[in-house]
Amino acid sequence: MIPYWTKYYDSDSNGNIRNVNTTQELKSITLSIINRVAFDFNIEIFDKNPEHRDEVHGWISDLLVGLLYKFVFPEWLFEYVPFGIFKRFKDAKNRFRETAMKMILKKTKEYENANQVKEDEDLLSLLLKSSNNGKLTEEERLTNDELVSAIFIIFFAGFETSSNSLNFMLRLLATRPEIQEKLIEEIDNEIPSMDSIKSKESLINLNILQHSI
């Protein structure tokens, strides 16, 4: 994230990055983490330019807004009206399914090659392992449509909630610089490097951080 921000945002004379849109960037962070942890999939949101990030945010926003509209407008509007949120929702839905199927096909190939799942494997692999259990009948196994639905639920259950919570926490810290300094000092003392974070037990001594969260 830091190289990305350094490249695309302004910095002052001391090298401090300025004018970062935290709402947008925390959405990017959340999207990246959920896809990596839950699906072992890199959406490359920090590997490309801001236009790519904004385009990803755009179609995800269209998908969420369209879902809300479906509670108000009849279903046929979303299938036949070729403009506005109706078209954008249809395009976003197709985009989501296309991305989800890429995840499923990638994981299916990995599973077929290894036929095993590591202890720290992602959720999608665990779903595929469960679905490919030899004891299940064909009717009991998850279809691709059911896997896409599971990806959708996992993805959107964590996306808005996580990014909004992080945004709120950062805004609180910005208004309490004394707490922010204590938090930075604690992290510097307890976490000598990113490589030292091996599990949640590595964070057990971060009392200020845990209370902040």
Side-chain angles (χ1 to χ4, degrees):
M1 296 179 302
I2 300 299
Y4 179 89
W5 293 343
T6 302
K7 182 176 181 178
Y8 291 110
Y9 286 99
D10 296 330
S11 300
D12 62 20
S13 57
N14 296 320
N16 298 311
I17 304 169
R18 298 295 186 188
N19 301 319
V20 174
N21 185 327
T22 57
T23 300
Q24 286 285 74
E25 299 306 331
L26 289 174
K27 284 183 178 180
S28 297
I29 293 166
T30 305
L31 283 170
S32 183
I33 291 172
I34 289 176
N35 278 279
R36 286 178 180 272
V37 174
F39 314 123
D40 188 28
F41 191 81
N42 181 14
I43 59 172
E44 301 180 316
I45 206 157
F46 289 114
D47 300 333
K48 298 183 179 180
N49 56 34
E51 287 74 22
H52 168 72
R53 176 209 56 199
D54 294 342
E55 191 260 340
V56 172
H57 286 184
W59 70 260
I60 289 175
S61 176
D62 288 339
L63 193 58
L64 289 171
V65 172
L67 285 172
L68 295 176
Y69 272 55
K70 293 196 79 167
F71 288 102
V72 180
F73 295 101
E75 183 72 26
W76 62 266
L77 283 173
F78 294 87
E79 292 299 323
Y80 299 110
V81 175
F83 55 81
I85 186 58
F86 305 107
K87 182 182 185 303
R88 296 201 307 273
F89 175 72
K90 188 175 182 179
D91 292 343
K93 187 172 67 171
N94 291 336
R95 176 75 176 269
F96 180 85
R97 181 175 177 80
E98 178 186 328
T99 303
M101 286 304 301
K102 284 182 182 178
M103 297 176 183
I104 292 168
L105 293 174
K106 172 178 176 286
K107 280 291 147 188
T108 300
K109 185 177 292 187
E110 290 176 5
Y111 180 81
E112 290 172 349
N113 290 338
N115 200 31
Q116 61 182 359
V117 177
K118 299 179 292 184
E119 288 184 3
D120 62 346
E121 194 54 276
D122 56 278
L123 294 176
L124 180 55
S125 290
L126 295 174
L127 283 172
L128 286 171
K129 179 184 179 183
S130 175
S131 181
N132 287 306
N133 189 322
K135 298 179 181 180
L136 297 178
T137 65
E138 191 65 30
E139 290 75 19
E140 291 173 323
R141 293 179 181 176
L142 295 173
T143 65
N144 283 342
D145 285 341
E146 289 169 331
L147 287 169
V148 169
S149 296
I151 290 172
F152 180 86
I153 292 169
I154 294 168
F155 183 81
F156 285 103
F159 170 54
E160 288 284 351
T161 51
S162 298
S163 60
N164 287 338
S165 296
L166 285 170
N167 204 1
F168 184 62
M169 184 185 74
L170 287 183
R171 289 179 184 276
L172 287 177
L173 287 173
T175 62
R176 298 292 299 278
E178 70 281 3
I179 302 298
Q180 185 178 160
E181 289 303 318
K182 288 181 180 179
L183 180 59
I184 293 171
E185 183 179 356
E186 178 183 75
I187 293 172
D188 288 342
N189 290 336
E190 298 295 336
I191 308 295
S193 69
M194 290 298 293
D195 293 334
S196 65
I197 303 176
K198 303 297 183 183
S199 66
K200 64 180 181 181
E201 283 71 27
S202 306
L203 309 175
I204 198 167
N205 292 324
L206 297 176
N207 296 318
I208 298 176
L209 178 62
Q210 291 183 47
H211 284 111
S212 297
I213 295 173

